[in-house]
Amino acid sequence: MNKIKNICFAALIGSLMVTGCNDDFVNTQPLDQVSETAVWSDAGLTEAFVSEIYAGVGNGGFDEEMLASYTDEAIFTHPGRDITTITESRSNPAAPGRTNTPIQFANLYLRIRAANLALENLQTPKFNDPTLVDRLKGEALFLRAYYHHQVVRYYGGAVIVDRVYKLGEETYMAKRNTMEECINFIVKDAEEAAKLLEGKNMVAGRASKAAALALKSRMLLYAASDLYDANTAKAKSSVMAAYAHPELLAIVGGSRTERWQKAKDAAKAVLDLPGYGYKLDLTAPESKEQGTTNYMNVALARNGGERELLFARYFINSKQENGGRQGLYNGPNGYNNWAGNTPIQHLIDDYEMMDGTKFNWSNPAQASAPYDNRDPRFYSTFLVEGSPWKVRPSNAAKALDPLNQIQTGSYEVIRGGKKEIHFGLDTRKSSIEDWNGSYTGYYMRKFTDPNPAIVDQNTWQQVPWPFFRYTEALLNYVEACIELGQDEEAKTWLNKVRFRAGMPAVTETGDALRQRYRNERRVEMVFEEQRYHDARRWMIAPTTLARKANGITIFGALKQGKEVSIYRYDPTSYNYSYSVFEIDPGKENRAWNDKMYWLPIHRDEMNRNTELVQNPGY
């Protein structure tokens, strides 16, 4: 995090110089290292040590390979990155995001150890600042809970590590704890962190009471969900039913209704916190334009949208970190960007019409203008054919696209008195770049700063990554209410989100309400690393994540009597046709196998700790 002090992690936790020699030369203190005694005797160094533990969160979801591309949200454009080892259900897949080391098994436990070191040494602090001690203990507890929760939601029941292992112990082997034990441990740490952090004035990017309660809310929601309930998981999956250790992956006893009630109460505790949430007090839908603006404010965390953030990773453009390069990673090749994670048609189609009805390709009016009159969030989430965007690079701005519109199709133009085909500047046949283009016909707009002064190709932006935001807790509350049969309460809160977005109220009940809620969560939380976990915990992955990736083919035929020499999006001059196509087979060959509900524990970890039990199917 940009506010972490620049003190080397290795220097703080290692390099303990122990010697029995009295020679002054041998006892000379190294100038590039700090002793353990010095770290825990100095308030500033202790704070720096705890600050460094945050580095394990990485860039959040802003790495080049986003978790979205493991789901029915997006596809990763560039081959050879191991991303298909999960989408194709291979036997020993790579952890999601080759560059996303914060969710890899060994890295998570490295940070858990650091949190335990802090907690152990803060039990008997060697400096006199009780307020700081409590704050640092709260942060360390939150981080220990957060990293355990990452292990649990990717790998299942974890080895709970709540102490520092020492050299010379009899054994370092340890068994995995049950899912129930893990949930209880994470919740307990989160609760204790919330108490220690209450009333503390935390700078942006650090843990807080709100962050701790949000973590508790998420974990208890998961605990009540289908995948985490042994009986339900077994009934829905033969792989889960055949597994000899169901307690490692799900809760095997107790009342599921009670778990939903705990999830509801935990979410409500977040909702009751003062000062958070953005425009959630409306009694009617915003206008279409304001709904689009509201969602952009939420995504960019500005103009009031920053009140959504409960725990986030911040970036500054003066420190050139990968997390500030979302425009480059995902932007159109017609702007010399890389088009890395591009939305697929399944996601596009799940955005409702402005009146709340489903989009339908069988409807001639909708099929002929598929980007008109959609949920206002659509326009601040995607770049589609004709979307206004930034000024093109200097070699193309006037000659090829004076209006700065996204071009993702092919079109007829008249040049030299002859009809020719112009391939869009943002396609894989672009005259600007004929590589790095989207295979789907779409680009991600969400999380990209629209400021024209930020040239995505070579400028770092300052949009934060939302690990936890207020609306997630709100949606958690809605889901728990639905599962408890409290439909009216659920609709009251769900419609707060829809009104902010400019969408009409939901009126359904029962399972129909559940399905509307799930789609609302899909749309509202898109690209925020929710879908991967939601589709799994609802156990709908076989019919959602397994779908073949798809895209759109667009062709613009000139209307009779019309002549256009420089292409522009113009329905008065063109008849546009839109055709959905499957990208697979060949590029990803997406499939689903129920073993994919959990990632495998890496073979190296299994070899290090012979007490570990592997997940089913691997």
Side-chain angles (χ1 to χ4, degrees), residues 350-367:
D350 280 346
Y351 279 69
E352 297 173 359
M353 304 301 292
M354 272 292 297
D355 62 3
T357 58
K358 291 183 178 181
F359 172 82
N360 189 345
W361 282 106
S362 298
N363 182 316
Q366 294 177 6

Side-chain angles (χ1 to χ4, degrees), residues 16 23 45 75 186 239 300 439 477 545 575 577 581 601:
L16 307 181
D23 186 275
L45 290 176
I75 187 172
I186 293 165
V239 171
L300 300 179
Y439 283 99
Y477 181 76
L545 304 192
N575 290 317
S577 61
F581 70 96
I601 299 172

Side-chain angles (χ1 to χ4, degrees), residues 478-498:
V478 170
E479 183 171 341
C481 286
I482 291 171
E483 299 304 332
L484 291 168
Q486 301 168 8
D487 288 0
E488 293 307 312
E489 179 74 354
K491 285 186 285 187
T492 296
W493 285 88
L494 184 61
N495 288 331
K496 291 175 183 288
V497 179
R498 290 177 64 82

Side-chain angles (χ1 to χ4, degrees), residues 85-395:
T85 60
I86 285 185
T87 56
E88 294 180 6
S89 183
R90 298 190 192 173
S91 178
N92 195 22
R98 187 171 62 94
T99 58
N100 195 2
T101 56
I103 62 174
Q104 292 174 353
F105 202 85
N107 292 307
L108 292 167
Y109 277 103
L110 175 68
R111 302 300 172 174
I112 289 170
R113 172 177 165 77
N116 282 327
L117 276 167
L119 290 167
E120 180 180 273
N121 284 279
L122 287 168
Q123 290 305 310
T124 54
K126 297 179 179 61
F127 56 88
N128 184 25
D129 190 339
T131 299
L132 177 62
V133 168
D134 281 352
R135 195 199 88 195
L136 295 179
K137 286 169 66 176
E139 290 181 77
L141 280 166
F142 169 81
L143 290 166
R144 184 171 75 175
Y146 177 82
Y147 293 125
H148 273 99
H149 124 282
Q150 286 287 76
V151 178
V152 166
R153 65 181 186 153
Y154 285 100
Y155 299 94
V159 176
I160 294 175
V161 180
D162 60 356
R163 67 179 182 87
V164 179
Y165 283 83
K166 309 292 186 182
L167 290 175
E169 294 199 13
E170 182 177 347
T171 181
Y172 297 98
M173 303 297 109
K175 294 182 178 180
R176 294 173 66 179
N177 289 84
T178 68
M179 177 62 76
E180 185 170 13
E181 289 170 341
C182 291
I183 297 290
N184 291 339
F185 176 79
I186 293 165
V187 167
K188 182 175 182 293
D189 267 6
E191 289 173 340
E192 292 181 6
K195 291 177 183 177
L196 288 166
L197 295 171
E198 185 168 12
K200 302 294 191 297
N201 185 23
M202 307 300 292
V203 299
R206 287 189 176 271
S208 64
K209 176 183 178 181
L213 293 181
L215 174 57
K216 175 183 175 182
S217 172
R218 178 186 288 175
M219 206 72 265
L220 288 176
L221 181 81
Y222 284 21
S225 300
D226 286 2
L227 183 62
Y228 292 73
D229 180 74
N231 290 333
T232 306
K234 289 179 180 180
K236 291 190 172 186
S237 168
S238 60
V239 171
M240 298 298 155
Y243 188 47
H245 303 280
E247 73 281 357
L248 297 181
L249 302 180
I251 298 174
V252 297
S255 167
R256 196 172 177 196
T257 299
E258 290 180 4
R259 293 202 293 274
W260 280 119
Q261 185 62 50
K262 288 181 179 179
K264 177 189 173 185
D265 294 343
K268 191 60 162 61
V270 178
L271 300 185
D272 289 342
L273 293 171
Y276 294 101
Y278 170 65
K279 286 198 172 184
L280 291 167
D281 56 353
L282 303 172
T283 57
E286 294 269 52
S287 68
K288 177 181 177 180
E289 293 73 21
Q290 190 60 51
T292 297
T293 298
N294 289 346
Y295 194 65
M296 189 177 300
N297 288 339
V298 168
L300 300 179
R302 59 188 60 167
N303 301 322
E306 62 272 17
R307 294 197 299 271
E308 279 282 302
L309 298 179
L310 306 181
F311 180 55
R313 168 72 156 95
Y314 291 82
F315 303 91
I316 55 175
N317 56 26
S318 60
K319 185 179 182 183
Q320 297 181 350
E321 299 176 290
N322 286 342
R325 309 228 68 187
Q326 283 307 289
L328 172 67
Y329 289 160
N330 298 317
N333 60 324
Y335 287 81
N336 301 122
N337 299 317
W338 297 354
N341 303 273
T342 57
I344 63 176
Q345 191 67 47
H346 293 307
L347 175 62
I348 299 293
D349 291 349
D350 280 346
Y351 279 69
E352 297 173 359
M353 304 301 292
M354 272 292 297
D355 62 3
T357 58
K358 291 183 178 181
F359 172 82
N360 189 345
W361 282 106
S362 298
N363 182 316
Q366 294 177 6
S368 64
Y371 311 134
D372 291 352
N373 301 314
R374 303 294 288 272
D375 181 326
R377 289 170 290 194
F378 183 96
Y379 306 100
S380 47
T381 302
F382 307 113
L383 293 173
V384 303
E385 169 68 27
S387 293
W389 197 227
K390 301 180 182 182
V391 176
R392 293 276 180 184
S394 58
N395 63 332

